[in-house]
Amino acid sequence: MKRTIYLLSSIAALAALISFSGCGKDPLKDMTAEESRIYITNHDSQANFKSYATFSIVDSVAVLSNRADTAKKALTDYDKQLISSVSAAMQSRGYTLVDKAAKPDLAVALTRIDNSFTNVAWNPGWWGGAWGPGYWGYPGGGWYWPSYYVVYQVNEKQTAIDVFDLKNPTADNKYVSVWNALWRGSGVWNTDNVASMVQASFDQSTYLTNK
Amino acid sequence: MKKILNWIMIFAGVFAAQAVSAQVRPPLSIDVNYSVASPLGSLKDYSGKTSFRGWTAGLQYMLNDQLSVGLRTGFQDFNEKLPRAVYPDKLGDVSAVQTRTLQVIPIQATAGWAFTKPDKPVIPYAAVGVGVANMDYKKYWGQFVESDNSWQFMVSPEVGVNIPFGQASPVLFNANVRYNYSPYKMGDITNFNSVQYSVGFKFHLN
């Protein structure tokens, strides 16, 4: 009888332990949208950011989906906020905003990416020149994450800012990207988050200045 | 006459000792413990917080009064969430809230040596576990996870005490300190090192 009680109590204790801490905490459960986001910036280490004086920015945002064959242009409230925040940030770094016709040194392209998987072919082609491919990982080349990374969300929305050098086209007349920012995670298409995401992207890119 | 009396005394003594030894408690026991573990070395750099989510469970068989062999398993969850920071990477600078986790499930064969006989009120012992551990590594960059799962060699020396609830009780309180080592390499982790503190119970079964 005693033995049975011991046996039962030990099994109960083991079961309690396992249910108490049998599996680890799921970090995704207590993560805010802000915490879920990552901001990736990259730049051309050969670029001399002090050599550029002027920039122009797109008048609408490219919307890209790997479910559609072509990119669309859009100008939602989000897109307006994005254009104005990025323009302000560029100006705060000493670059002068000019019209596209005024031969700017830098071109700023804005893209919203709606991925249903983790890869997307990208060729907006409406700036008036072909972008230098491959540098960022898209279009064409491999995606940012190594293959052992797992993206939990099947549908992922992203936003990208690309700054191209219009002063120094390549031999075959392509423009090279000198700076990129890519936002991933929850809420990157939320208008209220635009200002802080632009801020974070520029804050981590102190070299992006002509001062 | 005196000689006979001496013999009787000796025999009585031997029988008494044998009786105690044989009847203190049955040789097979199971144990369950709650564990707290502190990461050391490169594991601490990866996920520095002390883990309060852990347990161990084992089965032991006493070969004699002092030597035992067994099998054990357990679980320990290391978890640390770092405030947003910018991490330079070969493809760019990544601003992220990193959550760095490692879950460890060892399966080890054990050998233990008790420093006293089993009828003592406090039984200090030393043990060593040798086997494998499942390492479940997940480093979250925001909501994106970099993960790896593998089995690694693990060795775990241990010292502890067993305190019976009464001289011949089959139930003992157990407290132990264990050092875990595994030559596990993943990301910032160059070796797995932890100190694990456990308290629990040991039940001898007939």
Side-chain angles (χ1 to χ4, degrees), chain A residues 115-178:
Chain A
N115 266 349
S116 52
F117 303 100
T118 56
N119 216 332
V120 63
W122 192 50
N123 183 21
W126 53 277
W127 178 261
W131 308 119
Y135 172 74
W136 181 243
Y138 64 89
W143 196 243
Y144 174 72
W145 302 107
S147 57
Y148 55 82
Y149 285 79
V150 177
V151 176
Y152 267 45
Q153 287 189 330
V154 176
N155 285 294
E156 198 205 345
K157 291 184 164 56
Q158 308 171 347
T159 296
I161 308 168
D162 293 84
V163 176
F164 293 92
D165 179 351
L166 299 183
K167 256 172 99 172
N168 308 296
T170 59
D172 55 347
N173 260 333
K174 285 185 176 174
Y175 298 123
V176 175
S177 172
V178 289

Side-chain angles (χ1 to χ4, degrees), chain B:
Chain B
M1 185 65 195
K2 213 178 171 187
K3 210 174 170 183
I4 293 167
L5 207 66
N6 279 349
W7 273 114
I8 291 169
M9 292 294 278
I10 289 164
F11 272 118
V14 167
F15 277 125
Q18 263 196 348
V20 166
S21 152
Q23 286 174 8
V24 171
R25 44 191 80 89
L28 185 67
S29 67
I30 62 168
D31 53 83
V32 285
N33 285 58
Y34 167 71
S35 287
V36 170
S38 297
L40 298 175
S42 62
L43 179 63
K44 192 174 182 174
D45 298 336
Y46 171 69
S47 186
K49 273 192 175 168
T50 297
S51 162
F52 291 95
R53 300 170 68 87
W55 56 265
T56 69
L59 200 65
Q60 270 183 51
Y61 189 82
M62 302 286 292
L63 296 175
N64 59 40
D65 278 354
Q66 287 175 289
L67 183 65
S68 62
V69 292
L71 262 181
R72 73 179 174 208
T73 185
F75 173 81
Q76 200 78 46
D77 179 28
F78 295 95
N79 195 308
E80 186 177 28
K81 187 174 182 176
L82 298 163
R84 182 172 288 279
V86 178
Y87 300 92
D89 193 274
K90 56 184 184 295
L91 290 171
D93 297 318
V94 184
S95 165
V97 174
Q98 280 194 351
T99 311
R100 301 171 174 186
T101 70
L102 183 69
Q103 291 168 11
V104 185
I105 300 172
I107 297 173
Q108 292 175 316
T110 61
W113 177 260
F115 296 114
T116 60
K117 296 285 180 185
D119 57 340
K120 296 288 186 289
V122 175
I123 307 163
Y125 69 93
V128 64
V130 179
V132 292
N134 181 262
M135 300 287 190
D136 194 23
Y137 172 100
K138 287 195 173 78
K139 186 195 221 174
Y140 291 82
W141 301 67
Q143 70 185 33
F144 305 94
V145 66
E146 175 188 356
S147 65
D148 181 71
N149 187 296
S150 64
W151 288 91
Q152 304 287 331
F153 170 76
M154 181 177 267
V155 59
S156 311
E158 167 185 335
V159 289
V161 287
N162 285 313
I163 302 171
F165 291 92
Q167 200 187 20
S169 169
V171 184
L172 301 88
F173 169 78
N174 173 259
N176 71 72
V177 180
R178 190 181 292 174
Y179 172 77
N180 298 297
Y181 169 80
S182 172
Y184 176 56
K185 288 162 187 45
M186 180 67 209
D188 300 333
I189 303 171
T190 52
N191 275 314
F192 176 93
N193 291 282
S194 72
V195 179
Q196 187 176 355
Y197 308 91
S198 304
V199 288
F201 298 99
K202 192 172 159 77
F203 308 86
H204 281 263
L205 310 172
N206 271 318

Side-chain angles (χ1 to χ4, degrees), chain A residues 10 15 21 26-28 50 57 62 66 72 98 106 113 120 123 128 143 145 168 175 177-178 188 195 197 202:
Chain A
S10 57
S21 59
D26 181 0
L28 295 173
K50 290 188 173 59
I57 192 162
N66 65 348
K72 292 181 293 188
V98 298
L106 295 169
I113 302 157
V120 63
N123 183 21
W143 196 243
W145 302 107
N168 308 296
Y175 298 123
S177 172
V178 289
V188 298
M197 294 188 295
F202 277 78

Side-chain angles (χ1 to χ4, degrees), chain A residues 78-98:
Chain A
Y78 175 91
D79 301 327
K80 287 175 192 162
Q81 178 67 51
L82 183 62
I83 291 166
S84 80
S85 289
V86 173
S87 297
M90 286 296 286
Q91 286 169 305
S92 77
R93 294 296 172 92
Y95 299 109
T96 306
L97 176 63
V98 298

